[in-house]
Amino acid sequence: MPPPVFRFAPSPNGYLHLGHAYSALLNADLARASGGRLLLRIEDIDRTRCRPQFEQAIYDDLFWLGVAWDGEVRRQSDHLELYRDAVTQLAARGLIYPAFESRAEIARLVADKDAVSPWPRDPDGAPHYPGIGKQLSAEKRAELIAAGVPYALRLDMAAAVELVGELNWQELGSGPDGETGTIMALPEAWGDVIIARKETPTSYHLSVVIDDALQGVTEVVRGADLFWSTSVHRLLQNLLGLPAPVYRHHALLRDAEGRKLSKSTGSTGLRELRAAGVTPAEIRTMVGLAAPV
């Protein structure tokens, strides 16, 4: 069998913190121990938040940590046509539709529905799409698009699940409640997820499965917060005829209040720790990894 292929895939929308260090080092350790390869991917489809200085900081932090990758870095923003082609494939099968409600309008719709009975939420706690995009006629959709109204392209989850049937994945790590082994995928728990937007021809869910397949990734090692997202990824892999890697979700590092480390909450960055004199060996100790053999 060919050697396994791992990947570390950060977004350059902030500075890396200890949680990223743990994931990068774990991927590197597993690749080394198995005689495999480690790839680096920059997930920069969010052009409003991603910055060149954050991308350069990723390279600087990984070099300092001693994390080396194989081959060239893949930047998602260089491959938008590939994602656009996948959207076209899904559209040709009648599996996506444009939804025109703004975030504020969706919030009001959810509030109205919650006032009657609890509206369903996805595993991350976000409400399912409550709008009427799926019911609009082709003529009305074309009219709104021609008028320049912003929209999101959503997956018709019910139609996609009916088409594909039951799915599962192989889990070498564990989920939030210790789930491991053969895991039954539950994509319907996410509702009609966004596949692309008017201004961006892809989404995290779509681009990640395409990139993993095209890069030949055989083992996806990432945080347990993405465990149930794998249900959507398995669905898209099946719809697009892509291979499924093995997954290994790991525990998240948390702060003193029990919150997962996050760029959005200002978790201490690796660059700050480096400036304070912390060494790469101490970083390994801080994240609970032994010294590499």
Side-chain angles (χ1 to χ4, degrees):
M1 292 182 61
V5 179
F6 300 78
R7 49 78 160 173
F8 178 58
S11 295
N13 55 11
Y15 294 111
L16 299 188
H17 51 63
L18 282 174
H20 298 111
Y22 177 61
S23 193
L25 289 166
L26 180 59
N27 271 282
D29 288 355
L30 290 168
R32 184 186 303 107
S34 63
R37 302 172 63 229
L38 174 63
L39 308 179
L40 177 62
R41 181 163 75 228
I42 301 297
E43 299 194 339
D44 61 344
I45 58 172
D46 186 348
R47 306 310 296 162
T48 61
R49 298 174 60 209
C50 295
R51 297 285 185 272
Q53 63 267 32
F54 295 144
E55 182 175 338
Q56 184 57 52
I58 289 171
Y59 304 140
D60 294 342
D61 287 339
L62 293 179
F63 178 79
W64 175 66
L65 285 173
V67 173
W69 58 89
D70 298 287
E72 295 184 357
V73 176
R74 180 182 179 89
R75 302 174 73 253
Q76 287 184 332
S77 59
D78 294 334
H79 303 281
L80 297 182
E81 278 303 316
L82 289 174
Y83 313 136
R84 190 176 283 112
D85 289 345
V87 171
T88 300
Q89 290 181 48
L90 296 172
R93 300 171 72 180
L95 294 174
I96 59 175
Y97 62 89
F100 299 91
E101 294 91 347
S102 67
R103 289 184 174 88
E105 288 170 330
I106 288 175
R108 286 195 294 271
L109 288 170
V110 170
D112 290 343
K113 292 181 179 298
D114 271 336
V116 177
S117 62
W119 186 247
R121 260 70 175 173
D122 67 28
D124 285 343
H128 285 197
Y129 170 66
I132 62 169
K134 200 185 306 187
Q135 283 73 50
L136 294 178
S137 67
E139 293 75 16
K140 184 60 176 179
R141 292 172 181 174
E143 176 187 327
L144 292 170
I145 290 173
V149 178
Y151 60 86
L153 291 174
R154 291 182 176 272
L155 182 68
D156 186 335
M157 185 61 75
V161 169
E162 182 178 5
L163 180 65
V164 169
E166 290 188 356
L167 293 167
N168 57 51
W169 79 86
Q170 292 304 306
E171 178 63 48
L172 299 182
S174 61
D177 295 314
E179 304 91 340
T180 192
T182 301
I183 307 296
M184 182 66 66
L186 300 171
E188 61 272 17
W190 292 88
D192 290 359
V193 295
I194 292 175
I195 294 298
R197 295 185 184 275
K198 175 185 177 182
E199 68 280 5
T200 307
T202 189
S203 63
Y204 166 72
H205 292 309
L206 182 64
S207 54
V208 74
V209 298
I210 292 174
D211 288 339
D212 283 342
L214 291 179
Q215 290 189 283
V217 173
T218 61
E219 190 165 326
V220 172
V221 180
R222 62 189 183 187
D225 55 333
L226 292 170
F227 182 82
W228 287 115
S229 294
T230 311
S231 292
V232 177
H233 301 167
R234 286 295 295 116
L235 179 63
L236 290 173
Q237 287 159 355
N238 190 283
L239 292 172
L240 296 170
L242 304 176
V246 170
Y247 290 86
R248 185 191 298 260
H249 292 89
H250 60 72
L252 302 175
L253 298 188
R254 300 186 179 275
D255 62 18
E257 285 74 43
R259 300 173 302 177
K260 73 173 184 177
L261 300 186
S262 170
K263 297 170 185 172
S264 62
T265 58
S267 297
T268 303
L270 295 180
R271 63 199 301 268
E272 297 171 77
L273 295 170
R274 181 166 71 248
V278 177
T279 68
E282 289 171 326
I283 293 292
R284 292 190 69 95
T285 300
M286 292 168 72
V287 302
L289 289 174
V293 294

